[in-house]
Amino acid sequence: MTDVPLPATIDAAAPPLGKREATKAANREEIRAAAIEAFSELGFGATTVRDIVRRTSLASGTFYNYFADKDAILAEFVGEHVAEADRRMTEARQAATTPREAVELGAAAYFGLLMERQDLLAMFRRNAGTIRAYAAGDVMTHVVASFREDLDRLLADVGGADLDTELLASGVMGAGMDIAMRFAERGGEDPAVALGVLRALLVDGILGRAER
């Protein structure tokens, strides 16, 4: 399995692309869009590079100018998605004053992201087990570490500093990911339902006890 790459930082002040660079960027995005479609329709395991290329206007060999194989594309999707989720959840948690609020605000930000990208939601729905495996690498470790920092800060304010926040952050994120992937498998129903389950399981349970 290809390691999930950390997405490169985009320079908002970068100069406009030249014609050749613009063509390359367009080709790359066409391949990515075709891959999402193929993974959603056929499933990642059954999809071949040929299945992806058939959904583009490009010659078959063009694929390998941009990606080594289909695993590299899925790894890129997962890396980008998890990094964006981390950014949004971290930003949302800044308004939290308790660990429970941190979980609720972060989870709401993540489910909002899922609902924004219906194309990715469809791909996740078809490939939830595979997505879990790809998200279990370095990028997810960073997400857990980011959440742990917030827990350390917030639990110190409520007298819960003796808790093992590394295990707590890992457990919360693990449960949250499982709920999110099941949510995707069920077709992205009302996110309030998933948030309600997350709240009952983690917020009222584990973190509610920690705050008491």
Side-chain angles (χ1 to χ4, degrees), residues 30-47:
E30 188 174 354
I31 292 170
R32 281 164 52 98
I36 290 178
E37 184 179 306
F39 294 158
S40 299
E41 291 180 5
L42 306 175
F44 177 75
T47 296

Side-chain angles (χ1 to χ4, degrees), residues 40-62:
S40 299
E41 291 180 5
L42 306 175
F44 177 75
T47 296
T48 65
V49 169
R50 180 172 295 183
D51 292 322
I52 296 171
V53 175
R54 282 173 178 166
R55 289 168 166 78
T56 74
S57 61
L58 306 174
S60 58
T62 305

Side-chain angles (χ1 to χ4, degrees), residues 91-123:
E91 183 177 298
R93 289 196 302 263
Q94 297 312 300
T97 57
T98 67
R100 284 187 287 182
E101 286 183 357
V103 172
E104 289 185 317
L105 292 172
Y110 179 64
F111 280 101
L113 173 62
L114 273 182
M115 297 305 292
E116 281 180 22
R117 291 294 306 271
Q118 291 294 313
D119 56 342
L120 289 182
L121 184 61
M123 186 179 74

